[in-house]
């Protein structure tokens, strides 16, 4: 289950394409947020019999990371970032500098950094019963199917076509209700904003080497001012993107997915994973900023 925190880079890219169009589509969908579910019913994903006591804590955590789709996503982070850099119109004109920056990014966002953060987070206050429930839930046919759906390559052109269709034929009210609920329990928009802001701030901290307090204060003020606007634009884009990604699931299946995150173990898992990924991105961005600053200074002295 590449819960939306795990698909965050894809979502942020899609927001750029949606822009004002995303907000327009949202207005066509709804005049406001629908109420979230009040029922915390037991998840439709039934736990399987208890796992063998022979499984170690590391083995159980490894299963969670693999079954959830995090393993695959973490391994792709560096490649996705490099692909974005290579396609950016703002990349350095000097091919030597461009190659050096690519090396810095590849080393700063190594998969092992993310894996370490995830394992540390999931081992914190280790509760065997909770971890076993997670493994059991993630092993069910529905959750495996969801993980497969979330693991597919994202097609921005198909998303655009989906948006056009939804503009003509708005989503049913209950479907929109479920999508809003999923966005809420996975903290998707909040995570996307905190990740975006955190990465930008960490990068700047690295570039100024934490010596320019005035620059950081000005930057923080601007970021705080942008947060509200970012939320207003990103929230509808997230829900629409979710509608596209999960269109193969029927309402009962989507509701079961929401209910999973309403369980104690589901909520713990999403919280720990989101925090771990955010921390890993922050550390990688800080390191990237510092090394780019060093690279710039080296070029100036030559």
């Amino acid at each position: 289950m590449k819960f939306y925190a795990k698909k965050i880079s894809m979502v942020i890219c899609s927001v750029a394409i949606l822009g004002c169009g995303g907000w327009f589509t949202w207005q066509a969908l709804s005049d406001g947020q629908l109420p979230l579910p009040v029922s915390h019913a037991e998840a439709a994903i039934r736990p399987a019999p208890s796992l063998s006591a022979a499984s170690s804590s590391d083995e159980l955590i490894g299963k969670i990371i693999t079954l959830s789709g995090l393993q695959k996503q973490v391994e792709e982070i560096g490649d996705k970032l490099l692909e974005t850099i290579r396609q950016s119109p703002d990349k350095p004109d000097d091919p030597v500098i461009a190659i050096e920056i690519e090396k810095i990014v590849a080393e700063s966002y190594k998969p092992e950094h993310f894996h370490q953060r995830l394992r540390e987070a999931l081992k914190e206050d280790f509760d065997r019963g909770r971890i076993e429930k997670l493994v059991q839930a993630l092993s069910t046919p529905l959750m495996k199917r969801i993980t497969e759906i979330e693991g597919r390559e994202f097609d921005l052109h198909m998303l655009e076509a989906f948006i056009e269709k939804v503009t003509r034929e708005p989503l049913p009210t209950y479907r929109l209700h479920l999508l809003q609920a999923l966005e809420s329990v996975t903290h998707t928009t909040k995570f996307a904003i905190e990740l975006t802001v955190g990465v930008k701030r960490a990068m700047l901290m690295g570039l100024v080497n934490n010596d320019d307090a005035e620059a950081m204060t000005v930057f923080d003020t601007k970021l705080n001012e942008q947060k509200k606007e970012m939320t207003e634009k990103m929230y509808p884009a997230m829900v629409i993107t979710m509608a596209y990604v999960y269109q193969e699931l029927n309402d009962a299946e989507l509701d079961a997915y929401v209910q999973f995150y309403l369980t104690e173990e589901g909520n713990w898992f999403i919280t720990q994973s989101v925090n771990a990924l955010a921390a890993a991105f922050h550390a990688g961005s800080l390191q990237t900023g510092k090394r780019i600053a060093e690279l710039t200074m080296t070029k100036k002295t030559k």
Side-chain angles (χ1 to χ4, degrees):
M1 139 218 23
K2 192 191 312 181
F3 62 74
Y4 252 66
K6 291 178 283 176
K7 268 187 108 66
I8 208 62
S9 59
M10 174 275 284
V11 176
I12 291 176
C13 289
S14 69
V15 170
I17 284 188
L18 292 174
C20 295
W23 178 249
F24 172 78
T25 305
W26 179 251
Q27 296 288 35
L29 290 173
S30 170
D31 292 328
Q33 291 189 35
L34 295 170
L36 298 177
V38 294
S39 172
H40 283 220
E42 180 182 355
I45 305 163
R46 302 293 180 182
S50 180
L51 300 177
S52 169
S55 298
S56 68
S57 59
D58 287 333
E59 288 174 332
L60 289 172
I61 289 172
K63 287 181 180 179
I64 290 173
I65 293 174
T66 300
L67 289 168
S68 65
L70 278 169
Q71 175 85 23
K72 180 175 182 290
Q73 292 308 302
V74 163
E75 290 173 354
E76 294 177 348
I77 288 173
D79 290 339
K80 294 294 184 184
L81 289 173
L82 288 175
E83 181 181 340
T84 300
I85 290 173
R86 288 165 183 160
Q87 295 177 354
S88 173
D90 300 321
K91 66 181 180 182
D93 294 329
D94 187 335
V96 175
I97 295 297
I99 291 175
E100 286 300 316
I101 290 178
E102 287 183 15
K103 289 180 180 178
I104 290 172
V105 170
E107 292 174 5
S108 298
Y109 297 95
K110 284 183 177 179
E112 47 263 42
H113 298 328
F114 289 88
H115 280 303
Q116 181 180 353
R117 294 273 185 174
L118 281 169
R119 286 185 172 277
E120 290 174 353
L122 295 175
K123 286 188 74 171
E124 187 176 337
D125 299 324
F126 184 79
D127 182 323
R128 185 180 181 84
R130 176 171 57 200
I131 297 297
E132 285 191 354
K133 285 182 180 179
L134 280 171
V135 173
Q136 292 158 9
L138 295 172
S139 299
T140 60
L142 174 58
M143 294 299 268
K144 286 183 177 180
R145 181 179 169 217
I146 290 174
T147 298
E148 187 276 325
I149 289 173
E150 292 173 336
R152 296 172 187 169
E153 191 66 27
F154 192 72
D155 190 320
L156 292 176
H157 296 296
M158 291 184 67
L159 173 61
E160 289 179 313
F162 179 83
I163 292 173
E164 291 180 5
K165 177 183 177 182
V166 171
T167 302
R168 297 191 304 271
E169 304 172 16
L171 295 170
T173 299
Y174 184 62
R175 186 68 175 187
L176 183 58
H177 174 88
L178 289 172
L179 292 165
Q180 289 177 326
L182 183 59
E183 190 284 331
S184 177
V185 297
T186 53
H187 319 296
T188 306
T189 303
K190 179 181 178 181
F191 175 70
I193 292 172
E194 292 303 321
L195 180 61
T196 302
V197 170
V199 165
K200 286 183 179 180
R201 191 177 193 283
M203 186 74 74
L204 181 62
M205 285 176 64
L207 289 170
V208 302
N209 291 318
N210 247 353
D211 295 330
D212 194 338
E214 183 178 352
M216 292 305 303
T217 299
V218 172
F219 190 68
D220 285 340
T221 300
K222 290 182 178 179
L223 284 179
N224 289 331
E225 292 173 352
Q226 293 173 1
K227 276 189 176 182
K228 181 179 179 181
E229 182 180 356
M230 289 172 67
T231 301
E232 292 175 349
K233 289 183 177 180
M234 198 171 286
Y235 176 77
M238 289 293 185
V239 176
I240 293 170
T241 306
M242 284 181 164
Y244 165 73
V245 172
Y246 298 109
Q247 59 186 307
E248 292 181 28
L249 301 181
N250 60 38
D251 288 349
E253 292 169 332
L254 190 58
D255 181 57
Y257 196 32
V258 172
Q259 295 302 326
F260 165 72
Y261 286 116
L262 290 174
T263 62
E264 186 275 335
E265 61 271 13
N267 178 261
W268 176 84
F269 173 60
I270 189 81
T271 302
Q272 295 296 99
S273 298
V274 162
N275 290 341
L277 289 171
F281 269 108
H282 181 277
S285 301
L286 181 60
Q287 178 69 13
T288 298
K290 287 180 177 179
R291 292 187 60 183
I292 289 177
E294 293 170 357
L295 178 63
T296 302
M297 291 300 297
T298 301
K299 287 290 291 183
K300 286 182 178 179
T301 57
K302 288 184 177 181

